DNA sequence: GCAAAAGTGTTGAGCGTACACCCATGC
DNA sequence: GCATGGGTGTACGCTCAACACTTTTGC
């Protein structure tokens, strides 16, 4: 997709940090640039903001172009505007992160990129510009947020086991939880609906499936409840 | 102070939410615009970002111009970029808040304003553009932050009493604390240095003065301590 | 039957909360 | 001496952390 120069705000971009969970590993989507500067290097996906779109819309547009997904949890993190963060000219970038269901389907690199790939946050390649810094800042932000708001569920399929949930938090926070205590704590909140379903096709005792109940959360929140892990 | 048009990034501004504590009331500095649009209305102080300054520098420049203060606690909050937030053209603004020692001295309205004044956050005038929204967002941000990092001290003079400290938290958070419990909690953290000084000129028992020890805090923080109120 | 993960309770320590009275000072 | 805020301790309930074994299922 190309845009006419007169439709583009020249000095403002949005960059996306798109997180996905792959088998207890937190991963982030990166693209390989096929334009100068830094042709061939890995970068956060992003693009310039258009005159007729909000910042949020700009970030969602990028995400949609790359993954085909539109109804996704996204949040603004921070704005990076050091004078020399971008070569040759001044570009201020607003960072957004997204939590999506990990997938390998439908990934498109987009017009400015030759490749797109998931990277484990513990094994990142070198990134262009200040993207390493942006990613680190966002990870800190996510780690703080995930502890105090029930957003982690966005990384899981609708139906999940308690072990998967625990693995998610361990991957994001880089810690280990005591299984019994974790279950007690999360179940006492009453945010999870136990389903009459269990895992299928596993070579061991099948775990019960749960789903997160957003409505219940909002009701509880209105009454003063705060999620805290 | 005027700037040449070619030195100015046309589409990006910073806006400052400057907080001060006046006798157990949380106040914010506003200016009265003396330019169109919305001439004569109250607004957050701010201005366009220059090509040769970082976003942080831009916010600090505004603050310095208005208060003469330079060594001040400041932090970026959020970036507001709705298409129609600013009339006639597209302006994205990055909000910063500052915590300063309340003062009436040296306040200067600046070139685009005819007046400058402190307002109680509970008695705000109508504000231009989306400044009301920006202010509310920033207040929420501050309330969350003040609970988990010892930044409240920035609003107090170097030497303060425990009652003043308690009053500060009550003003910012809009709550009431139990005096005994508040003192126990804050003193147990070992962040306050009791001084061999007391209040002077008060018509009651003079309270002991304390000062906040930033070094101690950073040492404790490195060891895993987290401030929590 | 064995490998692999699911699932489950108790105890002790520390923390948060609730609560009321005497003290020092200035006028 | 009185008005004003300064300063202090205890007891209870709750939450958090530590800790190990049995159950179910597929192969």
């Amino acid at each position: 997709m190309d845009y006419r120069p007169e439709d583009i705000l020249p000095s403002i971009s949005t960059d996306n940090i798109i997180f996905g969970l792959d088998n207890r590993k937190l991963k982030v989507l990166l693209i390989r640039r096929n334009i100068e500067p830094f042709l061939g290097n890995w970068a956060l996906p992003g693009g310039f903001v258009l005159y007729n779109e909000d910042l949020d819309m700009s970030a969602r547009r990028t995400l949609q172009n790359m993954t085909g997904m539109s109804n996704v949890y996204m949040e603004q993190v921070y704005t990076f505007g050091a004078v020399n963060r971008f070569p040759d000219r001044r570009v201020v970038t607003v960072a957004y992160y997204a939590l999506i269901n990990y997938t390998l389907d439908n990934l498109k690199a987009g017009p400015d990129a030759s490749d797109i790939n998931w990277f484990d946050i513990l094994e990142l390649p070198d990134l262009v510009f200040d993207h390493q810094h942006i990613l680190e800042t966002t990870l800190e932000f996510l780690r703080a947020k995930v502890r105090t708001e029930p957003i982690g569920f966005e990384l899981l399929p609708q139906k999940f086991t308690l072990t998967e949930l625990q693995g998610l938090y361990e991957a994001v926070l880089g810690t280990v939880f005591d299984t019994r205590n974790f279950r007690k704590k999360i179940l006492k909140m009453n945010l999870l609906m136990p389903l009459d379903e269990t895992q299928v096709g596993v070579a061991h005792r099948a775990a019960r499936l749960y789903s997160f109940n957003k409505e219940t959360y909002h009701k509880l929140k209105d009454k003063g409840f705060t999620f805290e892990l």
Side-chain angles (χ1 to χ4, degrees), chain A:
Chain A
M1 227 169 304
D2 280 337
Y3 300 96
R4 296 179 306 168
E6 63 267 32
D7 290 336
I8 295 174
L9 263 165
S11 46
I12 304 176
S13 66
T14 52
D15 279 313
N16 283 7
I17 301 89
I18 301 167
F19 291 109
L21 191 73
D22 172 24
N23 188 29
R24 303 200 189 185
K25 280 179 179 149
L26 186 62
K27 298 203 169 177
V28 64
L29 256 191
L30 300 176
I31 57 161
R32 190 193 284 278
R33 289 171 68 84
N34 67 1
I35 54 170
E36 293 290 355
F38 295 107
L39 187 149
N41 285 60
W42 290 100
L44 293 170
F48 287 99
V49 176
L50 305 182
Y51 271 102
N52 64 356
E53 67 181 356
D54 298 341
L55 296 176
D56 298 17
M57 284 165 60
S58 171
R60 283 189 188 279
R61 179 168 50 88
T62 302
L63 179 69
Q64 163 109 40
N65 286 346
M66 290 196 319
T67 64
M69 297 182 184
S70 57
N71 224 341
V72 163
Y73 184 86
M74 264 198 126
E75 197 185 0
Q76 192 192 111
V77 179
Y78 198 81
T79 298
F80 298 84
V83 171
N84 295 316
R85 63 169 294 279
F86 202 86
D88 298 334
R89 64 194 180 107
R90 189 71 191 275
V91 178
V92 170
T93 197
V94 186
Y96 282 80
Y97 75 93
L99 305 181
I100 72 174
N101 231 293
Y102 182 78
T103 177
L104 293 171
D105 299 339
N106 300 320
L107 294 182
K108 288 183 222 95
D112 300 346
S114 58
D115 198 2
I116 183 168
N117 229 317
W118 287 104
F119 286 86
D120 192 317
I121 56 159
L122 300 175
E123 297 168 17
L124 291 169
D126 285 342
L127 298 177
V128 302
F129 315 144
D130 55 354
H131 285 191
Q132 166 105 13
H133 176 221
I134 294 176
L135 186 40
E136 282 165 8
T137 305
T138 304
L139 247 180
E140 273 178 50
F141 189 96
L142 173 64
R143 286 185 174 136
K145 190 90 184 182
V146 92
R147 253 184 266 251
T148 56
E149 304 241 358
I151 58 171
F153 303 97
E154 307 286 342
L155 289 166
L156 294 177
Q158 271 221 328
K159 300 173 181 183
F160 50 85
T161 69
L162 292 182
T163 303
E164 283 167 352
L165 186 63
Q166 182 177 343
L168 145 67
Y169 279 103
E170 291 179 343
V172 172
L173 297 173
T175 54
V176 175
F177 290 92
D178 176 273
T179 305
R180 278 174 288 191
N181 293 338
F182 179 84
R183 285 167 179 245
K184 252 181 294 174
K185 199 165 185 176
I186 203 90
L187 287 177
K188 190 154 37 122
M189 294 183 191
N190 281 318
L191 297 174
L192 299 188
M193 292 253 313
L195 305 175
D196 285 333
E197 283 178 74
T198 54
Q199 285 177 307
V200 291
V202 288
H204 54 77
R205 177 171 174 184
R208 160 163 257 120
L209 294 173
Y210 291 81
S211 72
F212 172 64
N213 194 330
K214 242 181 222 179
E215 275 184 43
T216 307
Y217 170 63
H218 285 115
K219 273 184 207 155
L220 285 173
K221 197 182 172 191
D222 290 344
K223 288 182 194 159
F225 166 83
T226 54
F227 182 89
E228 181 96 45
L229 212 105

